[in-house]
Structures are given as C-alpha cells and as structure tokens.
Amino acid sequence: MSDLARLRFLCRRGMKELDVLFGGYLARHYETASPDDQWVFLRLLECEDPDLWAWIIGQTPPPTPYAHVIEQLQRND
C-alpha cells in the first residue's frame, strides 16, 4: 500500500464530517504542506474523534502544535 493510500485510509474517521475535512486536507494541502505541517497532520490522525471535533468546532482550543493545521481544517479550503 502506498503512503498516500495508507493516509487516505487513515482519514476515514468515525464521523462523516471528519472524513470530509481530513480527506479534503489530504487532497488539497498535504503534499505541498511543510514537513512540520505534514507531521502535525499525521499526529492528528492518531487523535480521538471527540477531541478532534471539539478542536475543529472551537469547543476547546487545540494543543498549540496542532493549531495551524486545525485552522486549515476549519476553513476546509
């Protein structure tokens, strides 16, 4: 399995909303992201869905190292 295929698989979350956000980031930003942002994205894929969703909707602030990528996920551009 290629790295990109593995990442696509990992972007499949328990929440459809997170599937869309993570899959969109992977398709539009991951390959051109800085190595630091790629690392953060990989770490986010290890987080629990309730935590991710709370950070994305602004219910709780994300950990500082994750903030930039979370902002990109929130914009969903």
Side-chain angles (χ1 to χ4, degrees), residues 12-65:
R12 296 178 59 195
R13 311 299 298 187
M15 293 178 63
K16 182 65 174 175
E17 296 86 350
L18 291 175
D19 289 356
V20 170
L21 293 174
F22 277 85
Y25 181 90
L26 181 64
R28 290 187 297 274
H29 298 289
Y30 183 79
E31 291 186 290
T32 59
S34 70
D36 287 342
D37 283 354
Q38 288 179 349
W39 182 87
V40 167
F41 184 73
L42 295 174
R43 298 295 73 79
L44 286 172
L45 291 174
E46 297 172 355
C47 295
E48 298 292 325
D49 286 356
D51 295 331
L52 291 167
W53 191 242
W55 299 333
I56 288 169
I57 66 170
Q59 184 178 13
T60 58
T64 302

